[in-house]
Structure formats: C-alpha cells, structure tokens
Amino acid sequence: MNIMGIDIGTTTISIVLMNKETGTLLAGETVNHQSFLPGEVPEEKIQDAERILAVTIEKVNDLIRTYGCPDGIGFTGQMHGMLYVDAEGNAVSPLYTWQDGRGNIPLENGKNSVELLKEKIENAGMLAAGYGLVTHYYLQKKGRIPENAVKMTTISDYIVMKLCGLTSPVIGVDMAASWGCFDMEKREFRYANLEKAGVNISYLPEVKKQYGMAGKTLLGSIHEGIPVMVSIGDNQASFLGSVKELQDTVLINVGTGSQVSFVSQNIVYCQGNMELRPCTDNSYLLVGASLCGGRAYAMLEQFYREVSGNMNDSYYGIMNQQAQEFIEKYGTEAAWKVRTTFSGTRSNPEEKGQITNIGVENFHPGAMTVGVMMGILDELYQQYQMMSELTGKKAAHLVGSGNGIRRNPLMQKLAEDFFGLPMEIPSCQEEAACGAAASFFID
C-alpha cells in the first residue's frame, strides 16, 4: 500500500510517496511555489492560493505518471493562516499566512486585535498576529472580508476540498486549534465566547473531531477515486514524520523559526510562548515556538557577508569552523551570551534580542557564532524544561529536524549537551510530508 504525503509549506511544496508496510520512502520532491503577493502595508503577508493549488496538482500528476496512483493521500500545511471561500468552494481572497502581522496594528483605543480578543474572551488561550481568528477579526473590523465569502479554511484544507470536489471546507482539530480561541476538551471553537466578543462565527468551517477521510479525488484535477485525508497541522506532521517513540521523545525543529515539541497524554494548561495542541485522537502536543530560530543563524551569516564586502559567497562553512575552533580553545562557557528573540516572541512581539558576556579575551567571531547557536537552543531547552514539569516526565529520546539543525553538526552536538541525550536525525528530509503520509494510518 503506497501513500502520498503532501506538505504545503510557506515557501515550498513537498511531496513524498511511502510504502505503508515497510515505511520505505519511494519518492520525494520539494519545489518552491513562489506564491507571495505584494501587500498594501508592510505587516500584510499574503499568498496566491490558486497558484499553490495549481503547482500542487502539477507535481502530484508528475508523480502519478512516474509511479502510478497512490492508495491514499495525506495532507499537511502551514498552520495559523487562512483564506476565504465562496458558496461553491472557490477562493475569494488571498491566503493570509501565519506571518501576517496586522493583528499587531492598533485597531481600537490603541489596542490591536490580539489585545482586544484576549480582553474580551475568557480562556482565549494562545493568540498572536497571524492566527486565523486574529486576522479574521482584523479584517472584519476593517470591512475587508470579501462580500461573496461564506467560510474560512486553511490552505491545505482548501486544496483537499478542491481535489475532492467539495464546496464547503472541513478542517481537523489541530488546524482549528491553530487559529486560536479553541476549546481543547470539547474539541471545538469557543463559539459563544467569540460571538459575545463580536467575532462573526458564521465563517468558521466544520471541525472534524477525529482523524479521517475528507473524500475521494474527482476526475478533472488528478486521477479519480483516491482517498484523501483531512489535513493535519505541519507541526503535528513533522512530529509524526520524525519520531518513532511518540510518548517519550522531545523533538526540536530548526528552520526559519524553531520549535520544541513533547507529547502529553492529558490536557495541561500552559502560558507564555508555549501552547497545547491536539496531536493524535488520544494525545496532545506541547509546543514551544521561537519566531526567529534558524533565521537568527541566517541573519548572522548575512552579517558576516556584509562585513566582508562579499555578498555572493556562503559563509556557513567558515562560521562553523571558527565556532568549532573557539570551543576547542576556550569552551562553550566563554562564548557570547545571545538571546535570539530578534523577531520578538508570541507573547511579546516587541521583545528584542540581547548580546552580553563580551570581553577582551573572547572578542572573536567564533564566540558570537557559538553564542547564536546556543541562544537558539537555550530558548528551546528552557521551554522543554517547563514541558517536563507540566507532564511530570522526562524525554528518553532526542530528535532533530529541519535544515537549520540537519545541516549543522556542531549545533547537533550542542543540542546533545543541552538535553543530555544523543540526537537522532530522521533519514527523510521532508519530515512533514512523511508525517502527512503517516496520518493516513494513525491509531
């Protein structure tokens, strides 16, 4: 039984074909969808949903022509973002991505959408700019919701809907929870609280409370009759695609942002930059997210290029070599202390990064490079420690995913020192797409 997994990312689309019985990766491809659209204001981060759909269909058909029809398709995609569809299920707005920052723009009495919703809704949970309901509330207040819009959906669930010929979206609990104001126990939106706060809830789609099929593909886009699952969140998909032992593994993902994830069997209440998300039908995922993460390391590489005056060559190799040499000579404790919150945090978008512990003896580029890597990892480790306290258990396994850590052996070694565990790197580089395929047979 061969299952296709598709990940609709912020910049790329990844597609894999896996054999269910053996877990063997039969094929995989990642392409840039190049769908970003110009925004009217700097905070606006939008994409062309129809282009993403077209690129997905083209690449799925390419894979089918080479390997034949899969026995099923699992989907995942970027969380938090949303778009509007009309009564026929057609997109009538761009995709408002998770990076959209209009939720931080003052809206009423100097307060922004995030602040207003937190003020008006009891137990609103984690809310931040880019979360679907925050963006929806902003657009509603500004009168920017398209006149012919009837429902909201995620980009991956939109593609599922179009492939199956559906006219009304259905989303899973993990995608729904990523929009905010979600009741984890009832596995539904806090409808009454949202309505009382003045949010138009008629746009909210049906929430499928258990993993399951959305439908089967219709002729006209790809081959007819292939079962398709309701999309799962990319965080959950990355976890399922990376981790073998779900219950006692801590996963750190370092990409543009970075995340640490740890399973909880029970609903636990957390705050700050940590949140609880649905995982399987019988478990939850504690997630700590850093908005900068791997981007901090990319910013440092850009800084070195600017200093050198050579903007064409990559400096990652030199950075890692200097960092390794610094550690061998001085040790990690002598590195600069860097707090890599350069993009703020979920709970405090205005927070800035910090650099301290600079002296004459450690005034070396290697000290800064080591400091940035340790700053990225320290933010994740501190969140994991809180997760361990909340769940009453410690991890027995450490897994690293995302190109930011996959391509950086020194960061892997530093992570092992932080967590006190050997790190495993998944063989499949398209972790979320592999997890989407695995979602087809979640227990």
Side-chain angles (χ1 to χ4, degrees), residues 146-224:
E147 289 184 6
N148 51 346
V150 297
K151 292 292 179 182
M152 301 160 53
T153 189
T154 70
I155 182 59
S156 49
D157 285 301
Y158 174 66
I159 294 173
V160 167
M161 183 176 67
K162 299 304 288 185
L163 293 185
C164 296
L166 307 176
T167 58
S168 186
V170 176
I171 68 174
V173 289
D174 44 2
M175 283 298 201
S178 80
W179 283 352
C181 302
F182 193 81
D183 189 318
M184 208 68 68
E185 293 183 357
K186 295 181 179 179
R187 299 171 79 85
E188 63 183 31
F189 290 108
R190 298 186 182 277
Y191 296 107
N193 301 65
L194 286 164
E195 196 166 25
K196 186 177 179 181
V199 179
N200 188 330
I201 63 172
S202 68
Y203 293 96
L204 293 177
E206 176 188 347
V207 177
K208 191 173 183 65
K209 297 189 177 184
Q210 274 78 39
Y211 286 105
M213 279 179 49
K216 294 184 178 182
T217 56
L218 290 183
L219 192 63
S221 55
I222 62 175
H223 195 277
E224 185 177 11

Side-chain angles (χ1 to χ4, degrees), residues 283-329:
S283 66
Y284 305 88
L285 202 60
L286 278 164
V287 181
S290 166
L291 297 182
C292 212
R295 184 184 177 193
Y297 205 60
M299 288 166 58
L300 182 61
E301 193 266 347
Q302 174 77 11
F303 175 81
Y304 284 137
R305 278 195 279 167
E306 289 183 17
V307 170
S308 72
N310 184 353
M311 299 300 294
N312 297 319
D313 295 336
S314 170
Y315 276 75
Y316 287 114
I318 296 174
M319 288 164 59
N320 287 357
Q321 180 183 342
Q322 291 176 337
Q324 183 65 58
E325 291 173 351
F326 180 86
I327 291 174
E328 291 172 358
K329 187 172 183 178

